[in-house]
Amino acid sequence: QQQVKQSPQSLIVQKGGISIINCAYENTAFDYFPWYQQFPGKGPALLIAIRPDVSEKKEGRFTISFNKSAKQFSLHIMDSQPGDSATYFCAAITGRRALTFGSGTRLQVQP
Amino acid sequence: DSGVTQTPKHLITATGQRVTLRCSPRSGDLSVYWYQQSLDQGLQFLIQYYNGEERAKGNILERFSAQQFPDLHSELNLSSLELGDSALYFCASSGGQGSNQPQHFGDGTRLSIL
């Protein structure tokens, strides 16, 4: 059973544009929502994370928006650059459990 | 560089064989997690160890086992390998057990079963 649903599966954005990736979760016990960035041949790298008591978190060009009532959260990449081309995973975790990942979004930023 | 080291980077073997994947966590991290990444299943949690003790199990097959040693490195043992076991296997580590402890991933071991 997929507890974190991620969309879109793939995304093409022009350089300088905004990339938006959405995730929805089912388990209301989740209390930490990280985003990971993965380049080919590398492991997932923690990008940014948020807790459900915060509606938005911004770090540089990356922003997480969180809607607790809708059980949805999204990643916005402002001023997208070709170097941002990677696969992005949303994830969720509760307590001492391991991460539950979304299915991933392959982002391609065209120059 | 995440500080998590996995060896080997690539492993090619045949069906029915047994392999061992190794993970050295970041210095000071007590928790080690193993994940499997395949095209059809995505990133799936296998098993977690904390300071040498098993703490959580995910979708780990009975043919798979793991352990964490006193020096905190961990090994994932895969036996009676099948073609479907071909995947990337990632190890992650964190400082503790709680959700507020970010997990840092190694670059994985790519396992190919011929």
Side-chain angles (χ1 to χ4, degrees):
Chain A
Q1 179 184 6
Q2 185 181 9
Q3 294 193 54
V4 179
K5 295 184 178 180
Q6 183 172 346
S7 63
Q9 189 173 8
S10 63
L11 183 60
I12 299 175
V13 174
Q14 296 296 315
K15 179 183 176 182
I18 302 174
S19 304
I20 302 174
I21 304 171
N22 301 300
C23 285
Y25 63 97
E26 300 168 6
N27 186 352
T28 55
F30 287 140
D31 60 2
Y32 184 70
F33 300 85
W35 284 87
Y36 282 83
Q37 178 189 57
Q38 185 178 26
F39 292 104
K42 294 293 187 180
L46 180 63
L47 191 62
I48 186 173
I50 197 168
R51 294 205 168 276
D53 54 347
V54 176
S55 61
E56 186 176 282
K57 183 174 181 179
K58 183 176 181 179
E59 290 184 2
R61 296 183 294 108
F62 301 91
T63 299
I64 301 178
S65 296
F66 192 88
N67 186 330
K68 187 174 181 178
S69 61
K71 294 187 288 185
Q72 295 175 347
F73 58 110
S74 60
L75 176 69
H76 292 63
I77 306 175
M78 312 300 287
D79 187 26
S80 299
Q81 299 297 312
D84 297 330
S85 297
T87 300
Y88 292 81
F89 293 92
C90 63
I93 189 172
T94 178
R96 298 180 175 184
R97 295 186 177 276
L99 291 162
T100 298
F101 283 93
S103 54
T105 296
R106 182 170 292 184
L107 171 65
Q108 182 181 346
V109 181
Q110 294 184 334
Chain B
D1 182 10
S2 69
V4 178
T5 303
Q6 289 187 249
T7 57
K9 292 189 183 304
H10 304 278
L11 202 49
I12 302 174
T13 188
T15 56
Q17 296 298 305
R18 173 189 171 95
V19 296
T20 297
L21 312 184
R22 182 187 170 100
C23 169
S24 294
R26 292 192 320 159
S27 176
D29 282 358
L30 299 178
S31 277
V32 169
Y33 305 79
W34 286 96
Y35 293 86
Q36 179 192 58
Q37 185 175 38
S38 61
L39 286 175
D40 57 343
Q41 295 291 323
L43 271 160
Q44 300 257 318
F45 167 64
L46 296 177
I47 196 166
Q48 178 202 358
Y49 279 82
Y50 177 78
N51 202 21
E53 295 185 4
E54 180 186 305
R55 285 305 171 96
K57 269 188 173 180
N59 300 319
I60 188 167
L61 300 172
E62 287 190 5
R63 300 183 285 107
F64 296 1
S65 64
Q67 54 185 327
Q68 186 179 28
F69 295 87
D71 66 353
L72 300 178
H73 91 272
S74 178
E75 293 182 354
L76 179 66
N77 301 295
L78 315 176
S79 62
S80 302
L81 287 168
E82 302 175 359
L83 292 176
D85 297 329
S86 295
L88 273 166
Y89 291 85
F90 287 104
C91 167
S93 73
S94 69
Q97 303 179 78
S99 60
N100 63 344
Q101 300 288 331
Q103 294 181 28
H104 300 271
F105 285 73
D107 286 338
T109 292
R110 181 176 294 278
L111 177 62
S112 298
I113 312 300
L114 302 180

